[in-house]
Amino acid sequence: MTAAIRIAPSRAARAVNLLRTIQYTHPPSCPCHSNPAHHHHSSFSPPLTSQPRRSRGLATPTDPARQKEYAFELAASSIRFGAGCTNEVGMDAANLGARRVMLVTDAVVGKLDGVKRVKEALEREGIDYEVYGKVRVEPKDSSVKEAIAAAKPYNPDLFIAVGGGSVIDTAKLMNLYTCFPDADFLDFVNAPLGAGKPITQKLKPLIAVPTTAGTGSETTGTAIFDLESKRAKTGIAHRNLKPTLGLCDPLNTRTMPSAVHASSGLDVLCHALESWTALPYTERVPRPKNPIERPAYQGANPISDIFSLQALRSTVKFLPRAVKDPDDFEAQEQMLLAATLAGVGFGNAGVHLCHGMSYPISGQNPSQYRHAGYDVPTPLIPHGVSVAVSAPAVFRFTGPSNPDRHLAAAEAFGVDVAGVKRESAGEVLGEALAEFLVKLGDQPRGLKALGFKSGDVDALVEGTIPQKRVLMLAPNLELESADAEREQLRGLFEDAMSY
């Protein structure tokens, strides 16, 4: 028997009329949602009062061309959070009916306690497993293909990834191409570098056990890697790629070196800021013809906003503590939670310029920069470093798109914004970011500190142009004109040379 809530006809009619009045007549009163100039695609937006009033909140069916998006979706992995929850993974595997598990990790994490506890949990349940421990930090398509080749003959019915974003992303791709064994590698890779095909069936279960507090990959359907032939980072993004379960155990992040705490935390910072300031979902075009084509990165929306802003506030508060004191377990736990919150936020809203610009920064690395504190055999610009190095320049640029949102972000850094003019919002946020990065310590103060020179700017621009999946969410970027877009990106890279 189905229970239902009954409303008297007169009350129901009044309720419907009220909802219609709110939906079609009065946009939300929140200044962050009702700014009519928010995310206008021109760097030279007309005065706010000269534009028609438009809600930045929930969409209404008023687009006569039926091009703009009118809906958003919330997709995230199930998350279990708590110290010691890694010990439950064997029971989770049994509950999923797993008999053959592929445990995915890297050479460093494979020696740590988290992997040991996963093995013991599987053994307690009598579940067979095989370890793939050759994941590359900052994976390349060659390392991903090697991992896929190892997974196919074993044909597991469950994947468990223990590590940072590189491990979890590699496990996602092992899962994908094990389920689509005849697919060409570029079939699912984001356009224009790949065919960008949707993933049309559910994959095998994947349990993600993060050991860093940064990528949020345990919550998202995104996997990133270097496409070596194009000297560019790209990836695959689809809801069916997301893990079945994320086991967020703060005990697994206690072995992170200070430099890794800092870099992974900067990734959280930019996830939060970029998703908070991304183009709103109602401005994304074209609207998908079929829901399966709706991208994972949809644009800022009322649900992603909640996660992104809280993640930003937590990161500003706890990241300096986690970097400074390796025994500050409260700060480490809160940063792991912030990473997960930001993962839900950007996993549904998307990121934009900091990430789009970071891919050629880390991929090109002309001076063979090797970041201190990372135990890796090859030159490396960590992902969080490559993202944050352009952030002060980026948010000075995006400020005019929505001053209220940028001021709210500056306030999260402790800035008193009461007397700040709205036209100064981007500059104020940029200054707050630069000060935060300097105080964090041991961070390169611009691209020059990574070994880039003015002569590298054109190559950086060309490496950013293919990142359409994230650039389409960048406020103020002139995507309609290739020449204007290149000129804007060139200016951003030049501004990011130092701060």
Side-chain angles (χ1 to χ4, degrees):
M1 182 175 181
T2 303
I5 299 175
R6 299 182 179 276
I7 303 176
S10 59
R11 289 175 59 197
R14 287 199 300 272
V16 169
N17 287 337
L18 177 60
L19 286 171
R20 285 176 175 165
T21 300
I22 293 171
Q23 183 177 13
Y24 294 108
T25 308
H26 300 292
S29 59
C30 170
C32 294
H33 283 167
S34 61
N35 175 9
H38 179 59
H39 295 310
H40 195 277
H41 258 252
S42 171
S43 297
F44 305 97
S45 299
L48 299 180
T49 54
S50 70
Q51 297 194 27
R53 186 170 178 83
R54 183 180 76 226
S55 168
R56 193 229 183 255
L58 298 176
T60 55
T62 57
D63 177 20
R66 296 188 59 81
Q67 286 296 309
K68 290 183 179 179
E69 182 61 278
Y70 64 90
F72 66 92
E73 298 182 21
L74 174 66
S77 307
S78 294
I79 296 296
R80 184 179 306 143
F81 192 101
C85 67
T86 304
N87 299 330
E88 299 178 352
V89 72
M91 291 180 282
D92 291 315
N95 292 340
L96 289 167
R99 296 182 179 180
R100 296 162 58 83
V101 172
M102 176 148 277
L103 174 55
V104 184
T105 189
D106 63 39
V108 174
V109 176
K111 300 173 184 176
L112 301 180
D113 189 57
V115 169
K116 178 184 177 183
R117 290 194 289 146
V118 170
K119 291 178 179 178
E120 290 173 347
L122 293 171
E123 290 164 3
R124 281 196 298 270
E125 300 297 325
I127 297 173
D128 291 334
Y129 64 88
E130 185 172 296
V131 178
Y132 182 80
K134 299 180 181 179
V135 171
R136 177 190 171 101
V137 177
E138 302 295 341
K140 298 181 180 293
D141 57 332
S142 57
S143 70
V144 170
K145 290 174 183 176
E146 181 181 339
I148 293 166
K152 282 183 176 179
Y154 185 62
N155 194 28
D157 45 30
L158 169 68
F159 289 85
I160 299 179
V162 185
S166 297
V167 169
I168 298 172
D169 285 4
T170 298
K172 291 175 182 178
L173 299 175
M174 294 166 76
N175 191 5
L176 172 63
Y177 288 100
T178 300
C179 293
F180 288 86
D182 299 324
D184 182 81
F185 185 74
L186 291 177
D187 279 353
F188 302 105
V189 173
N190 298 319
L193 296 175
K197 292 181 180 180
I199 300 172
T200 54
Q201 68 185 52
K202 288 187 177 180
L203 308 183
K204 295 177 181 180
L206 165 61
I207 298 176
V209 186
T211 60
T212 62
T215 67
S217 186
E218 68 274 8
T219 73
T220 73
T222 302
I224 302 296
F225 56 88
D226 282 311
L227 191 61
E228 295 171 273
S229 62
K230 301 293 185 181
R231 295 188 68 205
K233 269 194 187 292
T234 185
I236 299 175
H238 194 274
R239 291 175 183 83
N240 286 348
L241 207 59
K242 70 182 187 299
T244 309
L245 172 66
L247 286 180
C248 299
D249 184 343
L251 297 181
N252 292 329
T253 66
R254 290 187 179 177
T255 55
M256 277 198 297
S258 176
V260 180
H261 270 299
S263 176
S264 58
L266 292 176
D267 197 19
V268 179
L269 186 76
C270 290
H271 284 158
L273 279 168
E274 290 173 75
S275 54
W276 171 247
T277 57
L279 191 80
Y281 78 98
T282 50
E283 293 298 304
R284 198 189 72 250
V285 292
R287 182 186 308 170
K289 295 179 181 178
N290 187 307
I292 198 173
E293 297 172 359
R294 183 166 282 122
Y297 286 4
Q298 305 165 89
N301 60 77
I303 294 180
S304 68
D305 288 345
I306 296 169
F307 288 90
S308 300
L309 189 56
Q310 181 57 46
L312 174 61
R313 290 167 174 161
S314 293
T315 301
V316 171
K317 180 178 180 180
F318 291 107
L319 179 57
R321 285 174 49 182
V323 171
K324 181 179 180 180
D325 183 0
D327 294 323
D328 191 338
F329 299 143
E330 180 194 14
Q332 293 175 19
E333 181 172 347
Q334 289 299 318
M335 278 308 303
L336 180 58
L337 182 58
T340 301
L341 292 171
V344 176
F346 92 86
N348 288 278
V351 288
H352 53 79
L353 281 165
C354 292
H355 274 74
M357 293 167 65
S358 80
Y359 298 144
I361 291 171
S362 59
Q364 294 177 16
N365 195 1
S367 68
Q368 301 297 288
Y369 175 90
R370 191 190 304 263
H371 196 64
Y374 274 74
D375 183 16
V376 292
T378 57
L380 175 69
I381 301 175
H383 176 63
V385 172
S386 69
V387 169
V389 75
S390 69
V394 163
F395 292 102
R396 283 197 297 266
F397 172 79
T398 60
S401 68
N402 189 334
D404 297 302
R405 289 214 157 206
H406 287 68
L407 290 175
E411 196 169 27
F413 284 92
V415 177
D416 181 1
V417 299
V420 176
K421 295 180 179 179
R422 298 175 77 249
E423 56 265 31
S424 301
E427 190 65 36
V428 168
L429 179 54
E431 281 188 24
L433 264 167
E435 182 179 355
F436 180 84
L437 294 171
V438 169
K439 287 183 176 179
L440 196 62
D442 296 326
Q443 296 305 311
R445 297 189 186 184
L447 292 174
K448 285 183 179 178
L450 295 175
F452 287 92
K453 300 176 182 178
S454 296
D456 298 314
V457 167
D458 285 343
L460 288 168
V461 169
E462 293 309 311
T464 305
I465 292 293
Q467 311 301 331
K468 300 299 184 186
R469 180 177 62 95
V470 295
L471 294 184
M472 68 182 291
L473 297 173
N476 279 357
L477 194 62
E478 292 284 0
L479 294 175
E480 293 83 3
S481 167
D483 290 341
E485 180 187 6
R486 279 183 167 83
E487 193 60 31
Q488 286 179 315
L489 290 173
R490 190 172 291 110
L492 280 166
F493 279 114
E494 289 171 350
D495 288 346
M497 280 291 169
S498 64
Y499 62 79

